[in-house]
Amino acid sequence: MIEINPNLQLKNEFGIYYRKGKTQIHIKDNLSGFSLPVGEILFGVLENVAILKSAFQCKSDLIIKKAFKYYKYNLYSIIKKFELNVTELERLQRLKYYLDLCCINPAYCTVSQLENFTVKLFEYNNPTLNLFSVTTITKIRKIQINDKKTKLYFSDTSNLINYLDSKYSIYSFSTQNSFSSLSELCIISLFEIFSLHLTIKKCSSCNNYFVSINNNKLCNRAFLDNDYLGCFVLKQKSTSDNTITKKKMLIYQRLYKRSLTNKTEHINIFDKFKDGWKVVSNKSNEEKMKFLNLDDWK
């Protein structure tokens, strides 16, 4: 959780990984008391660097607040806690450039590449660089197994996951870091993503950043434009809707033609179909398909 300390340092407990059995895996950032999908604050900030610059020049938070209404999560409540200045905005612009490189070439999506970039970004003078030291306390994860907390030292997140997977079916872990700027928070988020050997891409539909799992080309991020479902789910839903619409029209036309024979049986079946569709039209796609597959319409 984020806690504002007197020295304006923000303490972030980055709850990134949770597993229950072999089917449930959640990677999330715990910020300001609510959970965000991994990378959401990172992507939200870098997608709006131009907006942040404009808000800084105009000295108006209303511009930022309006821009982030587009997102499902209340990112504004986090961003407003950070101070923006010329140096910080320049860092965020360079971070955006680096993220664009990651989208073009996955070879940049590694901890070692991120370390090289971070050294240049902060010029050897920032506590965030401790992330890349194999001896630092930040590499000791807070592990929770069966309601018992422990600490394990692993320099690589994937090795930690492999170890826990071999011994436990239910566990979670997090990392604690202190930071005082959005650029530092972005580096921490990138570090956790790359430590899990995940890559970052731009969605082929909405052109926004997302963490790619299984080489997906469509994002799972929730925006106003994709009905807060994510482009991948929205496309699946759209495909399903189209299939149902086509099937419904074929059945309708077939029953309509039969009803033109003026046989009472055919007319009654056609009326039954129309009345039944009115009932299921507002239900789930599964219920609609179940109705359309009834033997009555064959």
Side-chain angles (χ1 to χ4, degrees), residues 2-24:
I2 285 184
E3 300 172 356
I4 299 182
N5 299 324
N7 61 359
L8 296 181
Q9 289 286 317
L10 297 178
K11 188 177 182 182
N12 175 39
E13 184 169 300
F14 212 92
I16 63 161
Y17 200 91
Y18 168 76
R19 177 187 282 277
K20 185 176 182 181
K22 294 186 176 181
T23 57
Q24 242 179 310

Side-chain angles (χ1 to χ4, degrees), residues 49-110:
V49 171
I51 298 292
L52 295 176
K53 283 184 177 181
S54 178
F56 174 71
Q57 293 168 353
C58 299
K59 297 181 179 179
S60 172
D61 281 351
L62 291 175
I63 301 174
I64 303 175
K65 196 171 185 179
K66 184 177 180 181
F68 282 97
K69 281 185 176 180
Y70 174 71
Y71 296 81
K72 176 180 179 179
Y73 304 95
N74 186 14
L75 301 183
Y76 174 74
S77 67
I78 299 171
I79 292 169
K80 70 179 182 180
K81 296 180 179 180
F82 296 91
E83 180 182 351
L84 294 175
N85 54 48
V86 174
T87 301
E88 176 65 0
L89 288 167
E90 175 60 29
R91 283 175 178 163
L92 292 176
Q93 187 62 57
R94 290 170 65 185
L95 267 162
K96 185 180 186 324
Y97 175 71
Y98 175 71
L99 209 60
D100 288 338
L101 286 177
C102 291
C103 294
I104 297 170
N105 186 354
Y108 285 95
C109 297
T110 65

Side-chain angles (χ1 to χ4, degrees), residues 140-156:
I140 297 179
R141 309 289 188 167
K142 290 177 64 180
I143 315 293
Q144 184 161 329
I145 303 165
N146 300 328
D147 298 325
K148 293 181 180 180
K149 292 185 178 180
T150 184
K151 288 185 177 180
L152 293 174
Y153 175 87
F154 276 85
S155 60
D156 184 88

Side-chain angles (χ1 to χ4, degrees), residues 96-223:
K96 185 180 186 324
Y97 175 71
Y98 175 71
L99 209 60
D100 288 338
L101 286 177
C102 291
C103 294
I104 297 170
N105 186 354
Y108 285 95
C109 297
T110 65
V111 171
S112 59
Q113 288 286 350
L114 180 63
E115 181 179 7
N116 293 336
F117 173 79
T118 305
V119 167
K120 295 175 183 177
L121 189 69
F122 294 117
E123 299 177 349
Y124 295 95
N125 186 28
N126 191 280
T128 308
L129 291 168
N130 289 331
L131 285 170
F132 307 99
S133 170
V134 294
T135 60
T136 182
I137 192 68
T138 57
K139 288 295 184 68
I140 297 179
R141 309 289 188 167
K142 290 177 64 180
I143 315 293
Q144 184 161 329
I145 303 165
N146 300 328
D147 298 325
K148 293 181 180 180
K149 292 185 178 180
T150 184
K151 288 185 177 180
L152 293 174
Y153 175 87
F154 276 85
S155 60
D156 184 88
T157 304
S158 61
N159 289 339
L160 170 62
I161 291 173
N162 290 335
Y163 172 80
L164 292 171
D165 276 350
S166 68
K167 292 183 173 293
Y168 311 100
S169 61
I170 301 175
Y171 63 82
S172 63
F173 63 84
S174 61
T175 307
Q176 285 191 333
N177 292 282
S178 293
F179 52 88
S180 58
S181 68
L182 281 173
S183 57
E184 291 168 352
L185 176 54
C186 288
I187 291 293
I188 293 169
S189 186
L190 278 170
F191 174 81
E192 296 294 2
I193 292 169
F194 294 163
S195 291
L196 288 166
H197 302 297
L198 298 172
T199 57
I200 294 171
K201 292 184 179 180
K202 279 194 173 182
C203 177
S204 61
S205 178
C206 67
N207 203 39
N208 286 307
Y209 300 115
F210 73 105
V211 176
S212 178
I213 300 174
N214 298 326
N215 204 29
N216 289 339
K217 294 182 179 180
L218 293 170
C219 75
N220 58 355
R221 293 179 63 204
F223 300 108

Side-chain angles (χ1 to χ4, degrees), residues 228-259:
Y228 299 117
L229 296 173
C231 292
F232 180 77
V233 173
L234 187 66
K235 184 175 182 181
Q236 285 186 318
K237 184 176 182 296
S238 177
T239 301
S240 177
D241 287 345
N242 289 338
T243 301
I244 288 170
T245 300
K246 289 178 181 178
K247 189 175 182 70
K248 179 245 179 181
M249 290 305 300
L250 285 172
I251 294 172
Y252 182 94
Q253 291 169 1
R254 181 167 66 244
L255 296 181
Y256 171 70
K257 288 178 181 178
R258 288 178 187 172
S259 71

